[in-house]
């Protein structure tokens, strides 16, 4: 869980929340080379996440991976399919793609 003065991000509302700026790691992927990539989400499109690692930015298709988000030390896993679309579209659809 992440608490701020204005909102709380939880496992339940993460799919409909703005995820830019969150720490993330690829825990499973159909492409074995992508497993273990970790960093900060710096951009998002309907189908991809851009993750800034120590050395570079990586563009990862959402539907290929399962992501673990660092929620103040608690890892929350989400299948990339749950993140399809941008956060506004996910909010409109109640987190369903």
């Amino acid at each position: 869980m992440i608490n701020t003065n204005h909102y709380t991000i939880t496992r339940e509302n993460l799919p409909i929340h703005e995820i830019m700026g969150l720490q993330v790691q690829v825990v499973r992927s159909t492409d074995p080379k992508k497993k273990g990539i970790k960093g900060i989400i710096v951009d998002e499109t309907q189908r991809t996440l851009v993750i800034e690692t120590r050395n570079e930015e990586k563009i990862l298709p959402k539907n290929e991976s399962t992501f673990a988000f660092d929620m103040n030390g608690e890892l929350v896993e989400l299948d990339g399919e749950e993140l399809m679309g941008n956060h506004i579209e996910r909010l409109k659809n109640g987190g369903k793609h």
Side-chain angles (χ1 to χ4, degrees):
M1 180 180 342
I2 297 176
N3 287 310
T4 73
N5 292 335
H6 305 287
Y7 57 85
T8 300
I9 304 174
T10 65
R11 164 60 178 98
E12 292 74 27
N13 71 12
L14 183 59
I16 60 172
H17 214 283
E18 171 64 66
I19 58 175
M20 286 187 28
L22 296 181
Q23 289 276 348
V24 70
Q25 179 173 348
V26 177
V27 291
R28 283 183 289 289
S29 179
T30 57
D31 181 348
K33 295 177 193 171
K34 294 179 180 155
K35 184 178 177 188
I37 292 174
K38 62 182 173 180
I40 297 173
I41 298 173
V42 294
D43 199 8
E44 174 186 17
T45 68
Q46 291 184 348
R47 294 182 176 89
T48 65
L49 294 180
V50 180
I51 299 174
E52 184 178 292
T53 68
R54 286 185 178 172
N55 304 320
E56 61 188 327
E57 288 184 354
K58 302 271 189 179
I59 300 172
L60 304 172
K62 293 176 181 177
N63 65 347
E64 290 183 0
S65 300
T66 298
F67 301 94
F69 291 84
D70 184 348
M71 309 282 283
N72 287 335
E74 176 188 352
L75 291 181
V76 174
E77 288 188 16
L78 282 182
D79 187 282
E81 289 289 333
E82 293 182 74
L83 298 171
M84 293 298 282
N86 62 42
H87 75 283
I88 294 170
E89 291 168 344
R90 293 191 301 265
L91 178 61
K92 287 179 186 176
N93 297 326
K96 304 199 180 0
H97 54 278

